[in-house]
């Protein structure tokens, strides 16, 4: 059976495909940053809890908020990927339904453990090594399941596995990019978690905490070495791609080549800044790298699906009122967030 015969027909969309592609990349980049921060701080929390390192209390305090932000900020890109690639996403999610439902349970469990860890520190119960470990295992599972779904989405040829086992447990282990793709994300989380840790140390150093500078240096070291390893894994991922796609990143496709070059340059800049102790410059370069790599991920998705599907061919049924209402809600939401973030703090001592 030809892979194209397994793909359902696409639904009409209410605006031009490029509009949703821009929104998908922008919102997914923001989601990735918070997801990496949350996952990275959890991984570093476990590693640092083994030696009861200073600053664990602040890591535990940030975990619930970052988890909530990562989950909520993931709703928008999820909707946009369904809009553009719904006929692929729905099928891939259904074929691995058992593992996909497990993601919901794993994230809920990790969220509960994050709160447990936060209040355990408030009660002075110590580093909580086993709680950190279980949280990391749940998040590692979540990231691996997400990776399998991302690969199944662009590999309809793997959907044939359903006919041999229709139990909803299909995986993408047959694809050689699964492991490097997953490790690339895990190492990115460690890197951004290191930056977050460095910022925790920076804040403590400004308050003359004796451990502040030590935490800052440790966070930058985590960022540097995780990024160096990530470069190696990224090269592995590139070499594991189908042979007909690799030339696109070597000059055959201007968008793919340009984005890859920009991503490499920004990564090098971030590492250099971090080695020199320039925390904010490293964080800025790191955030830009995530944005560029998100766009590159979109290009890679298009290369995979090119023989079978192009979002530009989606039928469009213009709904300007719906689109305008959506944009208005986005602007209003941003205004509320900015207003809330600027509210003065309550002075509890004087209350």
């Amino acid at each position: 059976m030809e892979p194209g015969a397994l793909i359902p027909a696409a639904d009409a969309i209410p605006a031009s495909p490029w509009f949703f592609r821009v929104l998908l990349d922008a919102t997914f980049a923001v989601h990735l940053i918070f997801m990496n921060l949350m996952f990275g701080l959890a991984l570093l929390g476990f590693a640092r809890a083994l030696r009861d390192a200073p600053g664990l209390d602040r890591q535990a305090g940030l975990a619930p908020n970052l988890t909530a932000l990562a989950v909520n900020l993931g709703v928008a890109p999820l909707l946009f990927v369904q809009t553009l690639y719904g006929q692929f996403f729905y099928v891939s999610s259904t074929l691995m339904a058992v593992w996909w439902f497990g993601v919901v349970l794993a994230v809920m469990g990790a969220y509960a453990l994050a709160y447990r860890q936060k209040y355990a520190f408030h009660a002075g119960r110590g580093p909580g090594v086993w709680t950190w470990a279980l949280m990391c295992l749940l998040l590692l599972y979540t990231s691996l399941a997400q990776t399998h779904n991302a690969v199944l989405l662009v590999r309809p040829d793997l959907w044939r596995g359903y006919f041999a086992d229709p139990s909803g447990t299909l995986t993408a282990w047959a694809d050689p990019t699964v492991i490097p793709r997953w490790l690339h994300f895990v190492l990115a989380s460690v890197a951004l978690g290191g930056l977050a840790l460095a910022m925790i140390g920076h804040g403590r150093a400004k308050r003359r905490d004796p451990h502040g500078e030590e935490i800052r240096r440790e966070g930058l070291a985590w960022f540097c070495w995780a990024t160096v390893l990530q470069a190696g894994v990224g090269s592995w991922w590139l070499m594991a791609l189908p042979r007909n796609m690799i030339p696109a990143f070597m000059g055959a496709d201007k968008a793919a080549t340009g984005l890859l070059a920009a991503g490499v340059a920004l990564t090098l800049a971030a590492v250099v800044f971090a080695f020199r102790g320039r925390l904010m410059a490293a964080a800025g370069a790191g955030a830009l790298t995530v944005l560029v790599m998100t766009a590159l991920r979109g290009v890679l998705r298009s290369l995979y699906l090119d023989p079978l599907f192009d979002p530009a061919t989606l039928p469009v049924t213009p709904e300007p009122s719906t689109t305008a209402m959506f944009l208005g809600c986005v602007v209003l939401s941003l205004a509320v967030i900015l207003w809330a973030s600027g509210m003065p703090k309550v002075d509890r001592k004087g209350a």
Side-chain angles (χ1 to χ4, degrees), residues 38 42 56-72 106-128 131-132 134-136 138-139:
M38 173 264 292
L56 276 170
D57 56 336
R58 182 58 176 156
Q59 284 183 251
L62 286 172
N65 294 341
L66 287 174
T67 304
L69 284 168
V71 171
N72 282 282
V107 172
M108 290 173 63
Y111 192 31
L113 290 171
Y115 267 107
R116 190 268 178 198
Q117 194 72 319
K118 176 180 179 178
Y119 291 117
F121 268 97
H122 285 176
R125 296 177 189 166
T131 304
W132 285 115
L134 183 53
M135 193 190 313
C136 289
L138 291 172
L139 294 175

Side-chain angles (χ1 to χ4, degrees), residues 33 57 66-67 113 119 121 131 178 188 218 231 264 268-270 284 295 306 323-324 328 330:
I33 289 174
D57 56 336
L66 287 174
T67 304
L113 290 171
Y119 291 117
F121 268 97
T131 304
V178 167
E218 182 186 353
V264 171
L268 289 174
D306 182 52
T323 305
V330 169

Side-chain angles (χ1 to χ4, degrees), residues 88-113:
F88 297 92
F89 179 78
Y90 289 130
V91 174
S92 63
S93 300
T94 301
L95 296 181
M96 59 172 294
V98 172
W99 313 121
W100 196 241
F101 279 120
V103 168
V104 178
L105 299 176
V107 172
M108 290 173 63
Y111 192 31
L113 290 171

Side-chain angles (χ1 to χ4, degrees), residues 24 32 37 63 118 130 150 161 165 172 186 194 213 228 243 266 280:
L24 171 59
L32 265 184
L37 289 172
K118 176 180 179 178
W130 291 110
D165 182 9
V186 172
E213 190 56 35
V228 170
R243 288 288 171 257
L266 285 167
M280 296 306 167

Side-chain angles (χ1 to χ4, degrees), residues 49-204:
L50 293 173
R51 54 187 175 87
D52 198 5
L56 276 170
D57 56 336
R58 182 58 176 156
Q59 284 183 251
L62 286 172
N65 294 341
L66 287 174
T67 304
L69 284 168
V71 171
N72 282 282
L73 289 169
V75 173
L78 180 63
L79 292 175
F80 296 135
V81 80
Q82 290 172 4
T83 300
L84 289 176
Y85 303 98
Q87 68 270 41
F88 297 92
F89 179 78
Y90 289 130
V91 174
S92 63
S93 300
T94 301
L95 296 181
M96 59 172 294
V98 172
W99 313 121
W100 196 241
F101 279 120
V103 168
V104 178
L105 299 176
V107 172
M108 290 173 63
Y111 192 31
L113 290 171
Y115 267 107
R116 190 268 178 198
Q117 194 72 319
K118 176 180 179 178
Y119 291 117
F121 268 97
H122 285 176
R125 296 177 189 166
V129 175
W130 291 110
T131 304
W132 285 115
L134 183 53
M135 193 190 313
C136 289
L137 286 175
L138 291 172
L139 294 175
L140 283 167
Y141 166 80
T142 300
S143 63
L144 187 58
Q146 293 272 14
T147 299
H148 277 269
N149 201 355
V151 174
L152 286 174
L153 187 152
V154 297
R155 290 285 310 273
D157 56 301
L158 296 179
W159 298 357
R160 296 191 187 98
Y162 167 82
F163 299 106
D165 182 9
S167 61
T169 56
L170 188 67
T171 60
W173 288 119
D175 188 289
T177 68
V178 167
I179 294 177
R181 180 192 281 253
W182 177 59
L183 290 177
H184 196 264
F185 169 75
V186 172
L187 288 170
S189 297
V190 174
L192 287 188
L195 279 180
L197 182 63
M199 289 184 178
I200 291 172
H202 180 71
R204 291 198 167 196

